[in-house]
Amino acid sequence: ALRTAPAHKRSRGDMIALRAPRSALLRAVRQAKGATCALGARRFVGNVGDELPINPFVKGENPKLKEKSEYPAWLWSIADEKPSLEDLEQRITVSGLESLNVKEAKRYFKLWNRRRIKERNNLSRK
């Protein structure tokens, strides 16, 4: 859980720093899966007990890496690549729409609608 100061006690630097954690969390997840990632000009490979330089506040301590079993299971699925529209369309043509689970079906319709909107916008420009 992030510790935040009351809004009237935050400085502008604190407010800007609060935006960083999501991307830093994704980098940490990728690291834990065995990949290395660049943080600034250096490469960081995490071992248990190492500090992660992702402190979202101007003042405070960096969190330390824990054992993989100490993190919730959903954390490891954050950095997984999601299927593209082409992948989903191929699965639908082969196995039908019923082959998709609810999350995949929602993603398919979201991507399909996004593509449709872009195509219509391109047609209206001409």
Side-chain angles (χ1 to χ4, degrees), residues 32-47:
K33 287 187 169 187
T36 59
C37 68
L39 294 176
R42 61 193 164 118
R43 300 203 55 85
F44 182 82
V45 179
N47 294 315

Side-chain angles (χ1 to χ4, degrees), residues 81-126:
E81 286 191 32
K82 296 177 182 174
S84 67
L85 179 61
E86 291 76 23
D87 294 339
L88 294 171
E89 284 179 334
Q90 183 179 11
R91 283 180 52 193
I92 289 171
T93 57
V94 171
S95 307
L97 188 59
E98 298 80 23
S99 66
L100 303 179
N101 63 34
V102 174
K103 271 188 170 180
E104 291 171 334
K106 281 184 178 181
R107 180 163 173 79
Y108 169 72
F109 287 115
K110 178 179 123 181
L111 295 174
W112 177 82
N113 193 40
R114 185 180 294 165
R115 181 178 65 185
R116 185 180 60 87
I117 290 169
K118 286 182 180 182
E119 287 172 355
R120 286 188 176 181
N121 286 344
N122 286 335
L123 287 176
S124 66
R125 285 186 198 153
K126 295 177 182 178

Side-chain angles (χ1 to χ4, degrees), residues 10-31:
R10 291 184 202 151
S11 68
R12 180 158 170 75
D14 288 334
M15 298 296 280
I16 293 170
L18 286 175
R19 297 182 184 156
R22 177 159 170 78
S23 61
L25 179 63
L26 290 174
R27 285 193 300 262
V29 168
R30 287 185 191 111
Q31 281 175 213

